[in-house]
């Protein structure tokens, strides 16, 4: 195995250049995750940060991203998780048109690996607990539907829980349709438009983030319980009563990752500029 000095020599960059590129990638990942509510970051975005500065070494982006992954873990307690974009399943005998591009295959999210007490004190954003609850409910419904459900059927179940597709002033979610779309952007769900004899039908199915083992295993644990439906109803009630975080502390931290307060809007003293 080559030493760090040998790798830098092969890539034809200095230690200072490497540290500067790694720092820029780390900052980009942290702030982009914050600004986009945890939406996955495309690998091509990170690659562009490097190639846009004139570097053309073929293996350099992979090396810098790997180094950024190590730094995110050692300094900030985040795991940089790579997601392989899943393709929507097409119904046999029907032409399908994905709402998502299959070209951008790889993307990244950050997952906190901090101890639960440290996470709760410095990282967790309790004001976003309602999104965790909705994510659990929607993913659970689709999971019970075999991993795929048409739009009308999904809203049928959500209406029974008091969520209506045309509601723009919901007391918790404001525009409910846009809130559901946010789960698509965050890659918990993906949409597929299927052309059939009776017109177009939109299907929702679980995307790579909901299928990621840690989240998927937890969802299955809750669904396997006999009281799953009671849990769903309790979540909706607690969302409306604004006490969701206190009643469902684990699920409240499942969805959204925020930066520690002292890192937001300031410099990163541990990252060479």
């Amino acid at each position: 195995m080559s030493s760090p000095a040998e790798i830098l020599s092969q890539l034809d960059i200095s230690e200072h250049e490497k540290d500067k590129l790694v720092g820029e990638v780390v900052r980009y990942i942290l702030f982009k995750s914050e600004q986009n509510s945890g939406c996955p970051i495309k690998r091509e975005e990170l690659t562009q940060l490097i190639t846009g500065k004139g570097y053309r070494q073929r293996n350099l982006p992979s090396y810098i991203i790997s180094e950024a992954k190590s730094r995110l873990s050692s300094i900030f307690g985040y795991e940089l998780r790579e997601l392989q974009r899943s393709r929507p399943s097409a119904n046999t005998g029907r032409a399908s048109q994905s709402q998502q591009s299959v070209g951008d295959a790889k993307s990244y999210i950050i997952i906190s690996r901090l101890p639960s007490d440290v996470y709760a004190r410095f990282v967790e954003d309790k004001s976003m607990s309602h999104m965790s609850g909705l994510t659990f409910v929607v993913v659970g419904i689709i999971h019970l539907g075999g991993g795929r459900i048409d739009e009308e059927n999904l809203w049928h179940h959500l209406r029974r829980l008091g969520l209506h597709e045309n509601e723009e002033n919901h007391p918790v979610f404001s525009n409910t349709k846009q809130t559901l779309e946010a789960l698509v952007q965050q890659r918990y769900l993906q949409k597929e438009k299927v052309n059939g004899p009776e017109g177009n039908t939109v299907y929702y199915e679980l995307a790579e983030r909901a299928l990621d083992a840690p989240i998927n295993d937890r969802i299955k644990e809750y669904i396997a319980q006999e009281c799953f439906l009671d849990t769903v109803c309790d979540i909706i009630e607690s969302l409306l009563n604004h006490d969701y975080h206190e009643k469902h502390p684990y699920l409240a931290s499942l969805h959204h990752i925020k930066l520690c307060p002292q890192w937001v809007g300031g410099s990163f003293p541990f990252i060479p500029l």
Side-chain angles (χ1 to χ4, degrees):
M1 181 179 293
S2 300
S3 67
E6 291 173 334
I7 293 175
L8 293 179
S9 177
Q10 292 169 6
L11 293 173
D12 194 26
I13 62 169
S14 66
E15 182 78 24
H16 174 75
E17 289 177 299
K18 184 264 290 185
D19 285 341
K20 187 174 182 180
L21 288 172
V22 171
E24 290 182 3
V25 169
V26 168
R27 282 195 295 271
Y28 185 88
I29 291 170
L30 290 173
F31 280 109
K32 189 68 180 288
S33 297
E34 169 74 9
Q35 293 168 353
N36 290 353
S37 301
C39 290
I41 299 170
K42 297 176 183 177
R43 181 183 175 89
E44 63 187 49
E45 295 179 51
L46 303 182
T47 299
Q48 180 60 35
L49 283 177
I50 300 164
T51 59
K53 297 184 179 301
Y55 293 99
R56 293 291 180 264
Q57 297 92 320
R58 181 177 179 182
N59 296 325
L60 183 59
S62 294
Y63 174 71
I64 296 299
I65 292 173
S66 176
E67 290 292 301
K69 181 177 181 178
S70 298
R71 193 166 297 183
L72 281 165
S73 176
S74 62
I75 296 178
F76 297 100
Y78 283 124
E79 175 190 352
L80 183 65
R81 179 74 64 85
E82 182 180 282
L83 300 177
Q84 186 69 38
R85 199 174 183 91
S86 54
R87 299 189 180 191
S89 58
N91 282 356
T92 304
R94 292 184 178 181
S96 66
Q97 179 181 359
S98 170
Q99 295 285 315
Q100 308 291 338
S101 169
V102 297
D104 43 5
K106 291 185 179 180
S107 59
Y108 298 93
I109 58 172
I110 52 175
I111 299 174
S112 177
R113 293 305 183 196
L114 296 174
S116 58
D117 57 334
V118 176
Y119 180 91
R121 182 179 179 184
F122 293 109
V123 184
E124 187 174 2
D125 182 9
K126 297 179 182 180
S127 68
M128 292 300 296
S129 295
H130 61 288
M131 285 302 298
S132 305
L134 182 66
T135 302
F136 170 76
V137 170
V138 173
V139 170
I141 290 172
I142 296 176
H143 181 87
L144 287 173
R148 192 168 189 261
I149 190 172
D150 66 81
E151 185 175 37
E152 175 54 36
N153 201 8
L154 175 59
W155 280 111
H156 168 74
H157 291 293
L158 292 177
R159 285 194 292 269
R160 297 174 63 186
L161 298 172
L163 300 175
H164 300 270
E165 63 267 42
N166 296 321
E167 191 167 5
E168 297 182 356
N169 297 294
H170 189 276
V172 176
F173 300 105
S174 297
N175 189 309
T176 54
K177 185 169 287 188
Q178 289 182 4
T179 301
L180 183 62
E181 184 64 27
L183 300 186
V184 176
Q185 297 301 317
Q186 292 163 354
R187 299 304 296 165
Y188 287 100
L189 310 177
Q190 57 187 346
K191 291 168 64 176
E192 182 185 18
K193 183 185 292 184
V194 176
N195 302 319
E198 298 180 359
N200 296 328
T201 302
V202 174
Y203 287 87
Y204 286 92
E205 59 184 285
L206 301 181
E208 55 271 13
R209 200 163 188 171
L211 296 172
D212 195 42
I215 293 178
N216 193 252
D217 290 345
R218 283 290 184 174
I219 295 293
K220 288 179 180 179
E221 282 183 30
Y222 275 89
I223 291 176
Q225 299 175 15
E226 293 182 3
C227 60
F228 172 70
L229 293 180
D230 292 334
T231 301
V232 169
C233 293
D234 184 51
I235 287 173
I236 295 299
E237 180 182 357
S238 60
L239 287 174
L240 295 175
N241 292 333
H242 303 286
D243 61 353
Y244 171 75
H245 179 270
E246 287 72 21
K247 297 180 72 174
H248 303 278
Y250 175 79
L251 291 176
S253 63
L254 179 69
H255 174 80
H256 199 78
I257 296 175
K258 287 284 186 178
L259 304 181
C260 293
Q262 61 265 37
W263 298 337
V264 177
S267 62
F268 291 82
F270 301 105
I271 303 176
L273 299 177

